[in-house]
Amino acid sequence: MSRLASLPRTLFANRVSRLSFAGKERNRVRRDRTMAFSPSAESLPSPSWKNDKSAAALVRGLREAVESCNDVTEEDLSSNKFIDLLVSGSHVGHVRPDFAEALVKHGKLEAADGYALFSKSEKGVVCFDSENRYASSEEKTRVVAEVFEKMRELSLIPGWRSEMFPVVSDEGDVCMNVERASASLLGIKAFGVHVNGYVNSNSSGNSESKVLLWVGTRSKDKQTFPGMLDHLSAGGLPAGMAPTICAVKELAEEAGVPEKYSEENVKSVSCVSYRMFYKECVKRDVLFCYDLELGESFVPKPVDGEVESFELLPLERVCEIIAFEPGRFKPNCVLVIIDFAIRKGIVTCDMPGFPELVKALRR
Amino acid sequence: MSRLASLPRTLFANRVSRLSFAGKERNRVRRDRTMAFSPSAESLPSPSWKNDKSAAALVRGLREAVESCNDVTEEDLSSNKFIDLLVSGSHVGHVRPDFAEALVKHGKLEAADGYALFSKSEKGVVCFDSENRYASSEEKTRVVAEVFEKMRELSLIPGWRSEMFPVVSDEGDVCMNVERASASLLGIKAFGVHVNGYVNSNSSGNSESKVLLWVGTRSKDKQTFPGMLDHLSAGGLPAGMAPTICAVKELAEEAGVPEKYSEENVKSVSCVSYRMFYKECVKRDVLFCYDLELGESFVPKPVDGEVESFELLPLERVCEIIAFEPGRFKPNCVLVIIDFAIRKGIVTCDMPGFPELVKALRR
């Protein structure tokens, strides 16, 4: 049978009402569906969402999961809740007014002419090095570090990590590096690396191969998102490290994948981003997405205790969990997995709401 | 040798200056490079852009090609050059003030109470069916068709196509259908389907397979973009047709790919969008992206005369043409091909400017 036989008749059938994320149809679908989590690969689907209405409900559920990572609106950013942060004229972040005041107060040099490292412009934005006296990123990094060290001692920058993150402009240029703990206080972009570890399986018996995704369950002792579902591996990208090298390192540390195997097989494929409130600051994350195909015999091992177990789930089932069992997955994994499901042809162009979902993955 | 050996040392090395699309470095790269177009698969690369600086130049060139499809700014849309168009309260498009006046003038019903189909709200936006009297998309489609038929006779809607396009809200809901010729006059989203026809080749002799892309040369007699490079196949998506069915149809019509083969192998993978000026109107296109893997022996045939010849080019070479030989490709193909090169790991997370490039593909 050709694949087309199971396609929805039309992309745009009878959808006149405004898309409502908590709409009636979704509630209906929730009731109709067995919501118990069934983590074995056997328990799976002839997905009931392969018709117009349930495909719409699936996409709506996926979209809602994406939106839950994007509670910061354009209005929030242009309101007086946040002040734009510029470095030598380039926009890099959003700071709370009280933190802006602290930057201006403590960002004063001992120089004879009293040049202020951080200053407030007439337009009310906070500028670092407004006169561009520190031409290189190294110089900027050094003088900012002095200011931040002082602010750390005054407990104005809590949770010190002793790890450097790059400060990147909206156009993608690296201005300087700063202590990781200041990233969300500055509202700068922070970069991470996520790996979809997957298996192409023919075990289902029919001619079409199934994509199975390795899903971890986070340790119940983790401070962040304990017990939630997670990727094969993921981690923050420190300043100066290439994303692919970071991906290989994390795969070894978190899932026991041999470095040589990852080096030869991990593949750069995409990028997603989101913008959410975190302790009243703006957390802006950019996640580099990688795919790693694994053999059916390979079983990942939790190495560093971040994850307590791994399970192999059909990608359709993973999409159902994201769409219809909100709160199961660590929130930001959702964007990377939806992007994967789109590239693998599981969430398709024929589904209503598809283009809006694709766009929503990048803020 | 492992792949990592050829990776740039760091994603963010020494890039302090603001990204400039017509910058010095790019000009330097242009001079250094043989710019002659060499369309044979043999003529190809150990791409010189596999180090930090030339990777940055490549991404910059790709980004510039994307931006050339996006000359409409947010400022343009919020200025008095355009008026927002709403259907029953949902935003669907942007119209020029003179066309807005024409809609209001001719959108009057013969009903006793003088209900206006198109009206201008206090906020200055144009509303269709502000009281939502026509609940179904079919009713809306019918009454709008009467108005547009009148406007056609008055030459207010030129280039009549007798083909219906959906009117889709910003949230993805279909409000009604309208004549295709009115799409850019209304500034509504218009949908298309593009197919990357590719070959996985091992002919280069080494262990890594190369991705080769089929590239068409448009007929010199075509009214639009004569002689430019193009996809294997692409076309506008009419109202009521599923994108995958459209892709299969276009593949048969434009490239002679047997329908049965396309039905079984064409794969939904992505979506890109852009926003450009077209005859002083806002053209907003959403392109559904498909991949079709073809055997090395298959040669596409120009069937309907849209394309005069097809050539198989290494994907790296295609990226170089897009980045360093602007104007060779039909502009909107560029977005679909860059998305393909990202998914195939040719343009990677390790390249400076990567996240901004990925985001720029969706407006």
Side-chain angles (χ1 to χ4, degrees), chain A residues 101-334:
Chain A
E101 294 303 328
L103 286 172
V104 172
K105 183 174 171 194
H106 299 285
K108 288 196 174 120
L109 276 187
E110 304 298 315
D113 62 356
Y115 177 56
L117 271 181
F118 286 95
S119 57
K120 228 167 163 179
S121 82
E122 282 172 26
K123 288 182 178 171
V125 301
V126 183
C127 302
F128 170 76
D129 190 19
S130 58
E131 294 177 12
N132 202 16
R133 289 195 189 179
Y134 305 94
S136 75
S137 59
E138 289 76 11
E139 287 176 276
K140 288 189 175 73
T141 298
R142 181 178 50 76
V143 293
V144 167
E146 284 174 33
V147 176
F148 282 12
E149 192 59 54
K150 203 159 54 178
M151 293 174 75
R152 175 194 185 185
E153 285 161 19
L154 297 165
S155 300
L156 291 167
I157 301 177
W160 200 264
R161 303 280 291 264
S162 295
E163 188 180 336
M164 297 304 266
F165 264 25
V167 176
V168 180
S169 75
D170 291 348
E171 278 302 331
D173 296 303
V174 179
C175 305
M176 59 192 184
N177 298 327
V178 295
E179 155 63 26
R180 178 173 183 168
S182 70
S184 62
L185 288 165
L186 298 172
I188 58 172
K189 291 184 197 166
F191 297 82
V193 170
H194 280 237
V195 183
N196 301 296
Y198 73 101
V199 174
N200 272 323
S201 167
N202 275 306
S203 56
S204 57
N206 64 31
S207 63
E208 259 182 88
S209 76
K210 265 206 181 322
V211 178
L212 307 173
L213 188 71
W214 278 107
V215 171
T217 299
R218 292 169 70 85
S219 164
K220 292 185 184 62
D221 305 327
K222 280 284 287 185
Q223 218 181 351
T224 52
F225 311 106
M228 292 179 98
L229 301 179
D230 203 342
H231 264 119
L232 181 63
S233 79
L237 182 69
M241 184 182 282
T244 306
I245 289 170
C246 184
V248 169
K249 185 178 75 74
E250 295 286 347
L251 278 163
E253 286 176 9
E254 295 188 353
V257 181
E259 290 202 6
K260 191 171 152 37
Y261 184 84
S262 297
E263 282 173 11
E264 285 169 2
N265 294 284
V266 79
K267 193 175 152 193
S268 159
V269 286
S270 186
C271 184
V272 297
S273 53
Y274 62 96
R275 197 171 60 190
M276 76 198 307
F277 282 112
Y278 175 74
K279 296 183 179 172
E280 293 172 24
C281 296
V282 182
K283 187 172 155 64
R284 291 163 74 207
D285 278 0
V286 177
L287 308 182
F288 294 108
C289 309
Y290 286 81
D291 288 354
L292 180 69
E293 187 174 350
L294 293 159
E296 294 200 42
S297 61
F298 178 82
V299 179
K301 282 182 291 289
V303 177
D304 63 1
E306 290 237 350
V307 158
E308 61 177 35
S309 64
F310 286 105
E311 282 161 314
L312 195 57
L313 296 181
L315 187 49
E316 282 97 339
R317 175 72 190 125
V318 174
C319 290
E320 288 186 332
I321 294 170
I322 293 171
F324 303 118
E325 302 176 34
R328 298 291 315 264
F329 266 95
K330 177 166 174 279
N332 66 1
C333 295
V334 158

Side-chain angles (χ1 to χ4, degrees), chain A residues 2-4 7-12 14-19 63 90 135 137-138 140 166 169-174 189 191 237 240 242-245 248 263-264 266-271 286 288-290 342-345 347-350 354-356 358-359 362-363, chain B residues 2-4 7-12 14-19 63 90 135 137-138 140 166 169-174 189 191 237 240 242-245 248 263-264 266-271 286 288-290 342-345 347-350 354-356 358-359 362-363:
Chain A
S2 91
R3 268 196 211 168
L4 285 187
L7 282 180
R9 191 177 46 81
T10 148
L11 175 66
F12 301 119
N14 303 319
R15 303 196 311 110
V16 180
S17 66
R18 207 172 175 293
L19 196 150
R63 177 76 187 275
S90 294
S137 59
E138 289 76 11
K140 288 189 175 73
S169 75
D170 291 348
E171 278 302 331
D173 296 303
V174 179
K189 291 184 197 166
F191 297 82
L237 182 69
T244 306
I245 289 170
V248 169
E263 282 173 11
E264 285 169 2
V266 79
K267 193 175 152 193
S268 159
V269 286
S270 186
C271 184
V286 177
F288 294 108
C289 309
Y290 286 81
I342 288 166
R343 288 183 288 104
K344 290 295 175 188
V347 175
T348 77
C349 295
D350 292 313
F354 178 82
E356 292 77 19
V358 173
K359 189 174 169 183
R362 286 103 189 169
R363 301 296 165 106
Chain B
S2 91
R3 269 197 213 168
L4 285 187
L7 282 178
R9 190 176 47 79
T10 149
L11 175 65
F12 301 119
N14 303 321
R15 302 196 312 111
V16 180
S17 66
R18 209 172 174 293
L19 197 150
R63 177 75 187 276
S90 294
S137 59
E138 289 78 9
K140 288 189 176 73
S169 76
D170 291 347
E171 278 303 331
D173 296 304
V174 179
K189 291 184 198 167
F191 297 82
L237 183 69
T244 306
I245 288 169
V248 169
E263 282 172 12
E264 286 169 2
V266 78
K267 193 175 150 191
S268 158
V269 286
S270 187
C271 184
V286 177
F288 294 109
C289 308
Y290 285 81
I342 289 166
R343 288 184 287 103
K344 290 295 176 188
V347 176
T348 77
C349 295
D350 292 314
F354 177 82
E356 292 76 20
V358 174
K359 189 176 169 183
R362 286 102 189 170
R363 301 297 165 104

Side-chain angles (χ1 to χ4, degrees), chain A residues 15 25 49 51-61 351-352:
Chain A
R15 303 196 311 110
E25 192 188 65
W49 36 269
N51 63 55
D52 271 10
K53 265 200 173 165
S54 47
L58 178 90
V59 174
R60 204 174 300 128
M351 293 181 172

